[in-house]
Amino acid sequence: MTGAVAPPQAADRAPALRISHLRKSYLTAGGSTVRAIADLSLTMADGERVAILGPSGCGKSSCLRILAGLDTQFAGTIEWGNERAADASRLRSATVFQGDSTLPWMNVDRNIAIGMSGLRLSTTDVRRRVDRYRDLVGLRDFAKAYPHELSGGMRQRAAIARALATEPLLLLMDEPLAALDAQTRLVMQKELHRIWTQTDSTVVYVTHDIEEAISLCDRLLVMSSRPGRVKAMIESPFSRAIEPLERRRMPAFAEMQAHVWDLVAEEVGQTLVGEATR
Amino acid sequence: MTDAKILLAPAPDDVDPLIAANLRARRMARIRDIALGVGFPIFLLLLWEFAARFNLIDRRFFPGPSTIGASIWTFLSTQAGRELLLGHVQATLLRIGIGYGIGATSGVLLGVVMGLHAPTRAAIAPTLYAIFPVPKIAIYPLMIVIFGLGDASSSALVTLGVFFMTCINTFAGVRYVNPIYHDVADAFRFPPLVRWFRVFIPAAMPSIITGLRLGLGQALVLVVSAEFVSADTGVGRFIWDSWQVLDVPRMFMGLAVVLIFAGLAAIAGSLAETKLIPWNRR
């Protein structure tokens, strides 16, 4: 990143995203300043899956909101893989939120279709994408169902389909499985792995679940406690093709889990360690 | 409605006896609730009848329901009586219709704009909330000065009352929409029209309908009050005239008409709820 020596063609795949020295401060209601992110840099290759891990309040959600375009007040630069960014048939980023974000007055298909309302697409294209991504997340039989008729996991699938249907350059996920029960979460991890592979998605995955991060991602960015900075960047020992449940059975999994936990625990601080291990 | 259908349907023969007993218990509970809901007003009417028969209340002002019913029947069995009442009803409905139409439309529109556009909100909200608690009937004299006696001033009064009710409810509904919908609209870069008509207005629909329902009640109160004071026609006028000539049964007939209006308004309101916000049913 320091020298402009290497020509961009040298890389296998062009960088999808380059975040340089991102900084973010908030003004509280009381008028004081809170530094959320002190310094965050990250370069992502196309198709890569990066998890952002860190203690509560480390700025991981702030970072995601900035990438999602929900927050435009920040310092530092964010460069997008530019040759496709101008394409009006894809969103630069699409977000899957932590809580239920489906619109209750629309059925599944309409919920997916409305995500594309900001794109320049023909009705046939919208139709085609709705069919494709609704089927991909396993909601084929629930095309006309309303969110209140679906389980939490199914609603989250609809939200995932809505994000995927915009064929985003970057798929942002903010603890998308946090609200689900443990069994559903495991099933959904497997599903996410399959879906990302089929769509060749570039993913930023915010979570505080270490196992989930290792199960799903190629690299783990561990953030320090507030104000957040990059504490460590850990490469996953697993090849991308290995699916979550398989990874959990491999010895390297426990090893990496212990390693990441040590890094996170240092940051969480005594009181929070007590809470997390309770 | 779905619940009622399920609960009132006979249980199939092959169900588990425990579940059958459970279903029966729920059906009984539902029948009991309906019986209580219908039975209580009947009980009140009987009490009234009893009190009138035994002279516990002044029968000149409170004749029993049977006496009132009989004289309503006599009144309505003449062509002239029917036409007279129908004329008054039509006059009232016209005033409500015009006032409600204008008031509800403008109230919802301004409420939505205030909810989504901060400068409009900053400019209008303080004035709106300051004027809202003023009893609308208190400015009726001004309405008469501006619109004259009769239809126009009554409709204007209704418009005003309905406007405030719908505007404030719509505004609150749009303003306090679940913040996640703002995030979705921003993150997916929804165009403005999609934002308004497919996200924020539907999200605020429960509050908008509450405003519309309260507005209808308000309209009824105001139109009858206005007719007491200034109109030559209308159900309010009919009640007031009957009172002035001490034709108490006729006065009660007017009250019954108002009661029917209120009942129809309540039914329209709950129909609107089931049709327009089916996802909001609990």
Side-chain angles (χ1 to χ4, degrees):
Chain A
M1 215 155 50
T2 38
V5 189
Q9 291 88 343
D12 268 342
R13 305 180 78 170
L17 172 73
R18 181 177 290 141
I19 305 172
S20 314
H21 304 295
L22 182 68
R23 297 180 302 285
K24 168 73 194 172
S25 298
Y26 287 104
L27 201 59
T28 65
S32 54
T33 314
V34 173
R35 284 213 301 161
I37 304 173
D39 184 10
L40 190 145
S41 298
L42 170 69
T43 304
M44 285 182 71
D46 210 7
E48 203 180 13
R49 303 149 190 185
V50 173
I52 301 183
L53 271 166
S56 302
C58 72
K60 52 190 194 294
S61 287
S62 305
C63 174
L64 199 103
R65 289 184 70 82
I66 289 169
L67 291 176
L70 295 174
D71 186 349
T72 50
Q73 311 283 306
F74 59 89
T77 56
I78 297 174
E79 298 164 71
W80 298 85
N82 45 16
E83 85 270 26
R84 292 185 311 183
D87 190 347
S89 70
R90 313 179 64 183
L91 276 183
R92 205 160 60 179
S93 68
T95 313
V96 178
F97 296 93
Q98 180 177 352
D100 180 15
S101 63
T102 53
L103 306 178
W105 46 94
M106 294 180 183
N107 64 29
V108 166
D109 275 5
R110 286 175 183 277
N111 259 293
I112 299 172
I114 199 176
M116 293 177 266
S117 61
L119 300 175
R120 231 170 272 137
L121 289 173
S122 68
T123 347
T124 4
D125 284 339
V126 170
R127 193 64 251 163
R128 194 179 46 74
R129 285 200 199 178
V130 167
D131 286 340
R132 171 166 184 223
Y133 292 100
R134 179 236 298 129
D135 293 355
L136 189 71
V137 299
L139 289 177
R140 181 195 285 271
D141 295 336
F142 299 91
K144 302 288 175 251
Y146 283 82
H148 69 268
E149 300 166 326
L150 303 174
S151 68
M154 288 159 94
R155 284 202 287 266
Q156 201 60 322
R157 284 167 191 262
I160 291 167
R162 178 177 65 194
L164 291 171
T166 66
E167 305 193 338
L169 298 186
L170 181 64
L171 179 62
L172 298 167
M173 298 197 135
D174 186 5
E175 307 198 35
L177 311 183
L180 306 179
D181 65 83
Q183 282 97 30
T184 312
R185 197 151 58 220
L186 284 183
V187 174
M188 286 296 288
Q189 284 177 15
K190 192 179 156 166
E191 289 284 286
L192 281 181
H193 183 269
R194 173 182 66 81
I195 290 164
W196 292 350
T197 307
Q198 286 182 20
T199 52
D200 199 17
S201 293
T202 310
V203 186
V204 169
Y205 194 92
V206 166
T207 182
H208 52 232
D209 184 332
I210 294 171
E211 295 179 18
E212 193 166 290
I214 303 171
S215 300
L216 286 170
C217 295
D218 304 325
R219 282 196 290 161
L220 273 59
L221 189 162
V222 180
M223 287 181 76
S224 70
S225 55
R226 187 162 55 210
R229 59 182 77 241
V230 179
K231 180 177 173 74
M233 178 63 94
I234 305 163
E235 298 276 338
S236 167
F238 306 108
S239 112
R240 193 173 288 165
I242 304 175
E243 64 160 47
L245 293 172
E246 245 175 284
R247 292 188 193 194
R248 281 169 187 267
R249 288 191 208 102
M250 298 165 87
F253 190 89
E255 236 172 80
M256 184 166 176
Q257 193 183 359
H259 176 47
V260 176
W261 173 241
D262 286 343
L263 288 168
V264 173
E266 280 174 25
E267 291 302 324
V268 177
Q270 289 308 314
T271 46
L272 286 174
V273 170
E275 271 178 18
T277 52
R278 199 169 48 200
Chain B
M1 247 158 84
T2 336
D3 282 1
K5 253 183 249 155
I6 293 166
L7 291 172
L8 293 173
D13 297 332
D14 57 341
V15 289
D16 186 313
L18 216 61
I19 292 184
N22 201 325
L23 275 176
R24 219 169 17 247
R26 281 209 271 180
R27 205 155 52 227
M28 288 314 291
R30 175 138 187 104
I31 290 169
R32 184 200 63 203
D33 289 352
I34 293 173
L36 284 173
V38 175
F40 184 65
I42 293 177
F43 167 74
L44 288 180
L45 286 176
L46 285 175
L47 201 67
W48 176 8
E49 181 72 32
F50 175 84
R53 290 270 167 106
F54 292 89
N55 274 324
L56 300 171
I57 46 177
D58 190 338
R59 262 195 283 184
R60 282 173 304 165
F61 302 115
F62 302 101
S66 60
T67 319
I68 294 171
S71 64
I72 289 178
W73 182 257
T74 324
F75 183 87
L76 290 183
S77 52
T78 67
Q79 175 81 17
R82 281 198 297 274
E83 272 171 11
L84 179 68
L85 186 65
L86 197 66
H88 287 303
V89 167
Q90 278 173 342
T92 299
L93 284 181
L94 183 71
R95 288 170 193 144
I96 291 183
I98 292 172
Y100 190 76
I102 301 173
T105 312
S106 55
V108 169
L109 279 178
L110 185 65
V112 170
V113 174
M114 280 173 66
L116 294 175
H117 190 245
T120 309
R121 172 163 68 242
I124 293 177
T127 312
L128 190 78
Y129 278 98
I131 299 177
F132 175 59
V134 175
K136 303 301 167 292
I137 196 74
I139 25 184
Y140 193 46
L142 287 177
M143 291 285 166
I144 295 177
V145 172
I146 301 168
F147 296 103
L149 289 164
D151 285 345
S153 57
S154 322
S155 290
L157 191 69
V158 171
T159 302
L160 202 64
V162 172
F163 167 80
F164 275 96
M165 224 33 133
T166 50
C167 184
I168 282 183
N169 276 286
T170 303
F171 163 60
V174 175
R175 181 89 176 99
Y176 300 106
V177 148
N178 186 343
I180 191 83
Y181 300 144
H182 283 277
D183 282 354
V184 170
D186 290 343
F188 285 86
R189 295 179 172 71
F190 287 174
L193 285 182
V194 173
R195 261 168 208 276
W196 280 48
F197 290 103
R198 305 198 49 205
V199 182
F200 296 123
I201 293 179
M205 197 51 89
S207 300
I208 295 176
I209 291 188
T210 302
L212 290 174
R213 293 187 76 164
L214 292 173
L216 201 48
Q218 183 86 351
L220 207 52
V221 170
L222 288 173
V223 82
V224 171
S225 316
E227 285 167 356
F228 273 4
V229 182
S230 85
D232 296 330
T233 53
V235 178
R237 173 73 350 201
F238 182 76
I239 294 172
W240 193 253
D241 283 349
S242 309
W243 169 244
Q244 301 242 292
V245 298
L246 277 180
D247 188 344
V248 174
R250 250 181 67 174
M251 183 191 77
F252 274 105
M253 179 159 63
L255 287 178
V257 170
V258 175
L259 201 66
I260 290 168
F261 282 173
L264 291 177
I267 291 171
S270 69
L271 271 182
E273 264 176 10
T274 42
K275 287 286 166 208
L276 295 174
I277 42 173
W279 67 89
N280 204 42
R281 250 183 295 163
R282 303 240 155 76

